[in-house]
Amino acid sequence: MNEKKFILCLVILAIVARLALAPLYVSLPGEAYSIIPHDFPKYMATAQSVLNGTLYITDTHIGHNSASPYGPLLALSWGVWMKVFGQDYTLFKIPSIIYDTLSVVVVFYLVKSLSNIQTAKYASLLYAFSFMTLIISGAEGAGDSLLIFFLLLATYFLLKANPNIKLSSFFLGIALLVKFAVGVVFIPLILYYFWRQKNIRQGFVYLAIILLTVSLVTFPFFLSAGTNVFSQVIFPASVGVSGTTLLSAIKMVVNYFTLGMSNTYSDNPFIQQFASPIIALSLIGSIIYIVKFKLEDKKIEFIRNVFVMILMVNIFGNVGYH
C-alpha cells in the first residue's frame, strides 16, 4: 500500500474508532460529577465563561470566581463550540477526536523524517490505536488532544530535514496557549537542543517568537481577567500540595487507615509531606540523565529527552487538582 492510501485508511479507521467510543462515557448536565468523563464540568464552565463575557474566569474549578486552569485559546475554542452546538457532552468530544486523528498524520511524517517510511507506519499505527490515545480523545474528549497536536507540529517543524524554526516556535506558542504549564518541560529542552547544536542564538530567537505568539493572544484576556490569565504559570508550584502519581497507591492505603478514602491529596498530611521531595528528586535525576547520557544524533536525543521529562511528570508529577 502506498503512502497516501495508507494514511487515508489509517485516518478513517482512527476517527471511526474514536467516534465509536464517544457515546459510551457521557452523563447529562446536572448529574453526579463522578460519572461525568474527565474534567467536563470544568470544560463546560470555562466555555460558558467565554459566552458570558467574563473571559477566562470560572467558579467551578478551585473555588468561587477562580482562574480557569486552561489556556485562553482552549477557552475560546470551547466557547465557540458550545455557542454552535450547545451543551452536549457527546458532541463536546468531537474537537478532541479530530485533533487526535490529525496527530496520527503528524506522527507519521515526524517519524518518517527521523527514520524511514516503514517505521513511520508502525509508529502511526501504534499512536492511532493505543489504549491511552483512544481513551483520552474518544472516551474522555480531553483538551489534551489539542495540546498534543500542536506539540507534535512544533516538534516536526523543528526536527524535519529542512527545519522551519519560525513555524515550530509559533506552534509551540499555540500549545502554551492551550496549557501554559507545558512550557516547564519543552522550553528548557528546546534551548538545550540548540545549545547542543552550538546555535544558542537561534534558541533565543525561538524563545522570542514563542513569547510574541503567547503575548498577542493573551493580552486581550489580561485586560479582561487581569493576572488570573496567568494562573497556569503558578500551578506547578502547587504540585507538592496536590500529590504525585507514584504516591497515589500509598495514598489509598494511608487514607484507608487514617483519614478514610479521601479524594484529595491535600487532605492527607503524610502524602503532602513526601510529594515535594519526590518530585524534586525525580526532576534532578532526569536532568542528570539527560546531561550525562548524550547521543550522537541530536534529533533523536531531543525526542529521548522529551520522553524522559514527560515520563517524569506522569510518574512523579501532579495527577490533577482533585
Side-chain angles (χ1 to χ4, degrees):
M1 185 182 295
N2 64 38
E3 182 177 314
K4 291 183 179 179
K5 287 183 179 179
F6 173 82
I7 293 174
L8 179 61
C9 290
L10 185 59
V11 165
I12 292 172
L13 291 173
I15 201 165
V16 167
R18 285 156 175 76
L19 287 173
L21 292 174
L24 301 180
Y25 189 26
V26 293
S27 177
L28 295 174
E31 292 188 8
Y33 177 85
S34 60
I35 60 174
I36 296 176
H38 198 57
D39 288 335
F40 266 32
K42 301 170 190 176
Y43 292 172
M44 290 295 184
T46 302
Q48 195 62 51
S49 71
V50 177
L51 299 180
N52 293 341
T54 53
L55 288 180
Y56 212 59
I57 301 294
T58 171
D59 61 1
T60 64
H61 179 58
I62 55 175
H64 181 68
N65 201 32
S66 300
S68 167
Y70 307 105
L73 189 64
L74 199 58
L76 274 178
S77 63
W78 281 337
V80 171
W81 185 267
M82 185 181 285
K83 182 71 173 177
V84 175
F85 296 102
Q87 189 170 336
D88 184 294
Y89 286 152
T90 303
L91 290 179
F92 210 64
K93 297 179 182 182
I94 300 300
S96 177
I97 290 171
I98 292 172
Y99 280 111
D100 199 46
T101 304
L102 292 174
S103 292
V104 174
V105 180
V106 182
V107 166
F108 177 88
Y109 284 108
L110 172 60
V111 176
K112 181 185 174 184
S113 69
L114 296 173
S115 183
N116 55 63
I117 189 169
Q118 196 63 34
T119 305
K121 287 181 178 180
Y122 289 135
S124 54
L125 278 167
L126 179 63
Y127 183 93
F129 302 109
S130 70
F131 173 80
M132 187 62 69
T133 55
L134 286 171
I135 293 299
I136 288 175
S137 60
E140 294 187 342
D144 294 327
S145 296
L146 178 61
L147 174 68
I148 292 169
F149 172 69
F150 285 113
L151 288 177
L152 285 170
L153 276 179
T155 304
Y156 169 71
F157 283 107
L158 176 67
L159 302 182
K160 71 188 189 80
N162 298 306
N164 191 322
I165 300 304
K166 292 179 181 178
L167 269 180
S168 176
S169 53
F170 170 75
F171 283 126
L172 185 55
I174 296 297
L176 294 181
L177 289 166
V178 176
K179 278 192 175 181
F180 284 131
V182 74
V184 175
V185 171
F186 265 81
I187 291 178
L189 290 180
I190 284 175
L191 291 176
Y192 180 69
Y193 171 75
F194 282 114
W195 180 78
R196 290 276 289 138
Q197 298 274 27
K198 302 186 185 303
N199 197 357
I200 192 64
R201 179 179 296 180
Q202 194 170 42
F204 286 115
V205 171
Y206 193 103
L207 181 60
I209 296 174
I210 291 174
L211 294 175
L212 179 62
T213 303
V214 171
S215 299
L216 288 175
V217 177
T218 302
F219 186 69
F221 286 86
F222 176 77
L223 293 178
S224 173
T227 55
N228 280 326
V229 76
F230 301 114
S231 61
Q232 279 224 13
V233 177
I234 62 173
F235 271 2
S238 66
V239 167
V241 176
S242 298
T244 63
T245 307
L246 180 66
L247 292 176
S248 61
I250 301 175
K251 182 201 88 166
M252 293 177 64
V253 176
V254 173
N255 279 356
Y256 180 80
F257 290 106
T258 59
L259 301 177
M261 293 304 295
S262 170
N263 289 324
T264 63
Y265 291 97
S266 57
D267 287 345
N268 194 318
F270 180 84
I271 298 300
Q272 184 176 337
Q273 179 182 359
F274 283 92
S276 294
I278 286 181
I279 294 169
L281 288 173
S282 66
L283 180 60
I284 294 170
S286 299
I287 293 172
I288 292 173
Y289 175 83
I290 287 170
V291 173
K292 183 174 177 60
F293 296 99
K294 299 181 176 67
L295 301 177
E296 288 296 324
D297 190 328
K298 297 178 179 63
K299 293 182 179 181
I300 299 298
E301 181 185 90
F302 175 77
I303 297 292
R304 190 273 315 264
N305 293 345
V306 170
F307 175 78
V308 168
M309 292 301 290
I310 290 177
L311 189 65
M312 180 276 296
V313 170
N314 280 285
I315 295 178
F316 301 103
N318 185 12
V319 297
Y321 305 92
H322 301 297

mmCIF file of all heavy atoms in Angstrom, residues 6-7 10 104 107-109 111-112 115-130:
data_model
loop_
_atom_site.group_PDB
_atom_site.id
_atom_site.type_symbol
_atom_site.label_atom_id
_atom_site.label_comp_id
_atom_site.label_asym_id
_atom_site.label_seq_id
_atom_site.Cartn_x
_atom_site.Cartn_y
_atom_site.Cartn_z
ATOM 1 N N PHE A 6 -2.221 4.523 2.605
ATOM 2 C CA PHE A 6 -2.026 4.097 3.992
ATOM 3 C C PHE A 6 -2.536 5.163 4.957
ATOM 4 O O PHE A 6 -3.269 4.851 5.913
ATOM 5 C CB PHE A 6 -0.552 3.811 4.249
ATOM 6 C CG PHE A 6 -0.246 3.533 5.700
ATOM 7 C CD1 PHE A 6 -0.463 2.272 6.237
ATOM 8 C CD2 PHE A 6 0.240 4.540 6.532
ATOM 9 C CE1 PHE A 6 -0.197 2.011 7.579
ATOM 10 C CE2 PHE A 6 0.505 4.297 7.872
ATOM 11 C CZ PHE A 6 0.285 3.026 8.392
ATOM 12 N N ILE A 7 -2.153 6.409 4.725
ATOM 13 C CA ILE A 7 -2.562 7.499 5.623
ATOM 14 C C ILE A 7 -4.072 7.679 5.595
ATOM 15 O O ILE A 7 -4.708 7.862 6.641
ATOM 16 C CB ILE A 7 -1.848 8.810 5.232
ATOM 17 C CG1 ILE A 7 -0.352 8.688 5.503
ATOM 18 C CG2 ILE A 7 -2.429 9.999 6.006
ATOM 19 C CD1 ILE A 7 0.455 9.872 5.027
ATOM 20 N N LEU A 10 -5.693 4.841 7.468
ATOM 21 C CA LEU A 10 -5.402 4.970 8.894
ATOM 22 C C LEU A 10 -6.250 6.058 9.526
ATOM 23 O O LEU A 10 -6.795 5.884 10.630
ATOM 24 C CB LEU A 10 -3.916 5.280 9.089
ATOM 25 C CG LEU A 10 -3.421 5.325 10.541
ATOM 26 C CD1 LEU A 10 -3.673 3.987 11.238
ATOM 27 C CD2 LEU A 10 -1.934 5.672 10.578
ATOM 28 N N VAL A 104 -2.248 11.690 14.389
ATOM 29 C CA VAL A 104 -1.782 10.438 13.777
ATOM 30 C C VAL A 104 -0.962 10.743 12.520
ATOM 31 O O VAL A 104 0.104 10.157 12.286
ATOM 32 C CB VAL A 104 -2.975 9.525 13.426
ATOM 33 C CG1 VAL A 104 -2.505 8.299 12.657
ATOM 34 C CG2 VAL A 104 -3.726 9.111 14.685
ATOM 35 N N VAL A 107 2.407 12.330 13.472
ATOM 36 C CA VAL A 107 3.322 11.303 13.973
ATOM 37 C C VAL A 107 3.964 10.557 12.800
ATOM 38 O O VAL A 107 5.178 10.284 12.798
ATOM 39 C CB VAL A 107 2.586 10.302 14.895
ATOM 40 C CG1 VAL A 107 3.429 9.060 15.136
ATOM 41 C CG2 VAL A 107 2.248 10.966 16.217
ATOM 42 N N PHE A 108 3.172 10.252 11.784
ATOM 43 C CA PHE A 108 3.699 9.546 10.609
ATOM 44 C C PHE A 108 4.836 10.332 9.965
ATOM 45 O O PHE A 108 5.932 9.795 9.732
ATOM 46 C CB PHE A 108 2.582 9.305 9.590
ATOM 47 C CG PHE A 108 3.053 8.651 8.321
ATOM 48 C CD1 PHE A 108 3.110 7.267 8.224
ATOM 49 C CD2 PHE A 108 3.449 9.406 7.238
ATOM 50 C CE1 PHE A 108 3.556 6.654 7.057
ATOM 51 C CE2 PHE A 108 3.902 8.805 6.070
ATOM 52 C CZ PHE A 108 3.951 7.427 5.980
ATOM 53 N N TYR A 109 4.593 11.613 9.675
ATOM 54 C CA TYR A 109 5.606 12.408 8.975
ATOM 55 C C TYR A 109 6.784 12.768 9.882
ATOM 56 O O TYR A 109 7.920 12.910 9.396
ATOM 57 C CB TYR A 109 4.963 13.665 8.389
ATOM 58 C CG TYR A 109 4.149 13.366 7.157
ATOM 59 C CD1 TYR A 109 2.763 13.408 7.190
ATOM 60 C CD2 TYR A 109 4.771 13.003 5.969
ATOM 61 C CE1 TYR A 109 2.017 13.102 6.058
ATOM 62 C CE2 TYR A 109 4.029 12.700 4.835
ATOM 63 C CZ TYR A 109 2.655 12.756 4.880
ATOM 64 O OH TYR A 109 1.928 12.444 3.759
ATOM 65 N N VAL A 111 8.068 10.773 12.292
ATOM 66 C CA VAL A 111 8.913 9.579 12.357
ATOM 67 C C VAL A 111 9.560 9.300 11.002
ATOM 68 O O VAL A 111 10.734 8.889 10.928
ATOM 69 C CB VAL A 111 8.102 8.361 12.831
ATOM 70 C CG1 VAL A 111 8.948 7.097 12.810
ATOM 71 C CG2 VAL A 111 7.550 8.603 14.232
ATOM 72 N N LYS A 112 8.850 9.564 9.928
ATOM 73 C CA LYS A 112 9.419 9.387 8.587
ATOM 74 C C LYS A 112 10.632 10.284 8.398
ATOM 75 O O LYS A 112 11.642 9.871 7.798
ATOM 76 C CB LYS A 112 8.361 9.685 7.531
ATOM 77 C CG LYS A 112 8.867 9.507 6.099
ATOM 78 C CD LYS A 112 7.814 9.936 5.093
ATOM 79 C CE LYS A 112 8.375 9.897 3.675
ATOM 80 N NZ LYS A 112 7.403 10.392 2.678
ATOM 81 N N SER A 115 13.413 8.648 10.500
ATOM 82 C CA SER A 115 13.801 7.259 10.245
ATOM 83 C C SER A 115 13.464 6.865 8.809
ATOM 84 O O SER A 115 14.123 7.299 7.877
ATOM 85 C CB SER A 115 13.095 6.338 11.243
ATOM 86 O OG SER A 115 13.487 5.014 11.085
ATOM 87 N N ASN A 116 12.438 6.061 8.629
ATOM 88 C CA ASN A 116 12.031 5.631 7.294
ATOM 89 C C ASN A 116 10.525 5.404 7.275
ATOM 90 O O ASN A 116 9.864 5.427 8.316
ATOM 91 C CB ASN A 116 12.772 4.354 6.878
ATOM 92 C CG ASN A 116 12.603 3.236 7.899
ATOM 93 O OD1 ASN A 116 11.491 2.763 8.136
ATOM 94 N ND2 ASN A 116 13.709 2.821 8.523
ATOM 95 N N ILE A 117 9.982 5.157 6.103
ATOM 96 C CA ILE A 117 8.534 5.070 5.946
ATOM 97 C C ILE A 117 7.952 3.861 6.679
ATOM 98 O O ILE A 117 6.836 3.930 7.207
ATOM 99 C CB ILE A 117 8.152 5.050 4.444
ATOM 100 C CG1 ILE A 117 6.628 5.196 4.280
ATOM 101 C CG2 ILE A 117 8.651 3.793 3.780
ATOM 102 C CD1 ILE A 117 6.185 5.438 2.865
ATOM 103 N N GLN A 118 8.694 2.761 6.740
ATOM 104 C CA GLN A 118 8.178 1.576 7.418
ATOM 105 C C GLN A 118 8.044 1.827 8.912
ATOM 106 O O GLN A 118 7.028 1.476 9.535
ATOM 107 C CB GLN A 118 9.103 0.380 7.167
ATOM 108 C CG GLN A 118 8.484 -0.962 7.491
ATOM 109 C CD GLN A 118 7.265 -1.284 6.626
ATOM 110 O OE1 GLN A 118 7.218 -0.911 5.454
ATOM 111 N NE2 GLN A 118 6.287 -1.960 7.200
ATOM 112 N N THR A 119 9.051 2.451 9.505
ATOM 113 C CA THR A 119 8.989 2.803 10.927
ATOM 114 C C THR A 119 7.875 3.804 11.182
ATOM 115 O O THR A 119 7.180 3.738 12.206
ATOM 116 C CB THR A 119 10.332 3.384 11.394
ATOM 117 O OG1 THR A 119 11.377 2.472 11.092
ATOM 118 C CG2 THR A 119 10.319 3.651 12.891
ATOM 119 N N ALA A 120 7.685 4.723 10.239
ATOM 120 C CA ALA A 120 6.620 5.717 10.368
ATOM 121 C C ALA A 120 5.247 5.055 10.382
ATOM 122 O O ALA A 120 4.355 5.462 11.124
ATOM 123 C CB ALA A 120 6.711 6.723 9.227
ATOM 124 N N LYS A 121 5.081 4.021 9.575
ATOM 125 C CA LYS A 121 3.807 3.299 9.552
ATOM 126 C C LYS A 121 3.533 2.629 10.898
ATOM 127 O O LYS A 121 2.425 2.721 11.440
ATOM 128 C CB LYS A 121 3.808 2.256 8.436
ATOM 129 C CG LYS A 121 3.684 2.842 7.030
ATOM 130 C CD LYS A 121 3.671 1.740 5.984
ATOM 131 C CE LYS A 121 3.488 2.318 4.580
ATOM 132 N NZ LYS A 121 3.467 1.258 3.542
ATOM 133 N N TYR A 122 4.547 1.982 11.449
ATOM 134 C CA TYR A 122 4.379 1.309 12.738
ATOM 135 C C TYR A 122 4.077 2.321 13.849
ATOM 136 O O TYR A 122 3.219 2.098 14.700
ATOM 137 C CB TYR A 122 5.629 0.509 13.091
ATOM 138 C CG TYR A 122 5.842 -0.716 12.242
ATOM 139 C CD1 TYR A 122 7.101 -1.025 11.720
ATOM 140 C CD2 TYR A 122 4.786 -1.591 11.962
ATOM 141 C CE1 TYR A 122 7.297 -2.157 10.938
ATOM 142 C CE2 TYR A 122 4.976 -2.718 11.185
ATOM 143 C CZ TYR A 122 6.222 -2.995 10.665
ATOM 144 O OH TYR A 122 6.401 -4.117 9.897
ATOM 145 N N ALA A 123 4.803 3.442 13.834
ATOM 146 C CA ALA A 123 4.621 4.455 14.877
ATOM 147 C C ALA A 123 3.226 5.073 14.821
ATOM 148 O O ALA A 123 2.570 5.265 15.854
ATOM 149 C CB ALA A 123 5.680 5.546 14.734
ATOM 150 N N SER A 124 2.761 5.387 13.608
ATOM 151 C CA SER A 124 1.435 5.999 13.469
ATOM 152 C C SER A 124 0.327 5.009 13.820
ATOM 153 O O SER A 124 -0.696 5.382 14.400
ATOM 154 C CB SER A 124 1.237 6.552 12.056
ATOM 155 O OG SER A 124 1.473 5.558 11.080
ATOM 156 N N LEU A 125 0.529 3.735 13.485
ATOM 157 C CA LEU A 125 -0.437 2.706 13.879
ATOM 158 C C LEU A 125 -0.504 2.576 15.401
ATOM 159 O O LEU A 125 -1.587 2.464 15.979
ATOM 160 C CB LEU A 125 -0.053 1.363 13.266
ATOM 161 C CG LEU A 125 -0.479 1.106 11.815
ATOM 162 C CD1 LEU A 125 0.238 -0.116 11.263
ATOM 163 C CD2 LEU A 125 -1.990 0.937 11.711
ATOM 164 N N LEU A 126 0.655 2.599 16.030
ATOM 165 C CA LEU A 126 0.714 2.499 17.488
ATOM 166 C C LEU A 126 0.005 3.674 18.137
ATOM 167 O O LEU A 126 -0.770 3.496 19.085
ATOM 168 C CB LEU A 126 2.176 2.439 17.946
ATOM 169 C CG LEU A 126 2.408 2.361 19.452
ATOM 170 C CD1 LEU A 126 1.816 1.076 20.014
ATOM 171 C CD2 LEU A 126 3.895 2.453 19.768
ATOM 172 N N TYR A 127 0.251 4.881 17.618
ATOM 173 C CA TYR A 127 -0.415 6.055 18.182
ATOM 174 C C TYR A 127 -1.913 6.001 17.939
ATOM 175 O O TYR A 127 -2.718 6.302 18.832
ATOM 176 C CB TYR A 127 0.158 7.342 17.571
ATOM 177 C CG TYR A 127 -0.452 8.591 18.169
ATOM 178 C CD1 TYR A 127 0.148 9.225 19.248
ATOM 179 C CD2 TYR A 127 -1.653 9.128 17.687
ATOM 180 C CE1 TYR A 127 -0.413 10.359 19.825
ATOM 181 C CE2 TYR A 127 -2.217 10.247 18.252
ATOM 182 C CZ TYR A 127 -1.597 10.855 19.321
ATOM 183 O OH TYR A 127 -2.179 11.967 19.893
ATOM 184 N N ALA A 128 -2.306 5.622 16.735
ATOM 185 C CA ALA A 128 -3.729 5.653 16.359
ATOM 186 C C ALA A 128 -4.578 4.735 17.220
ATOM 187 O O ALA A 128 -5.720 5.076 17.555
ATOM 188 C CB ALA A 128 -3.884 5.281 14.887
ATOM 189 N N PHE A 129 -4.024 3.569 17.596
ATOM 190 C CA PHE A 129 -4.852 2.577 18.268
ATOM 191 C C PHE A 129 -4.343 2.185 19.653
ATOM 192 O O PHE A 129 -4.725 1.147 20.183
ATOM 193 C CB PHE A 129 -4.976 1.330 17.379
ATOM 194 C CG PHE A 129 -5.569 1.638 16.035
ATOM 195 C CD1 PHE A 129 -4.785 1.592 14.897
ATOM 196 C CD2 PHE A 129 -6.894 2.029 15.914
ATOM 197 C CE1 PHE A 129 -5.317 1.906 13.649
ATOM 198 C CE2 PHE A 129 -7.438 2.341 14.679
ATOM 199 C CZ PHE A 129 -6.654 2.276 13.542
ATOM 200 N N SER A 130 -3.500 3.024 20.223
ATOM 201 C CA SER A 130 -3.072 2.757 21.598
ATOM 202 C C SER A 130 -4.229 3.034 22.556
ATOM 203 O O SER A 130 -5.082 3.892 22.307
ATOM 204 C CB SER A 130 -1.865 3.611 21.973
ATOM 205 O OG SER A 130 -2.226 4.969 22.096
#
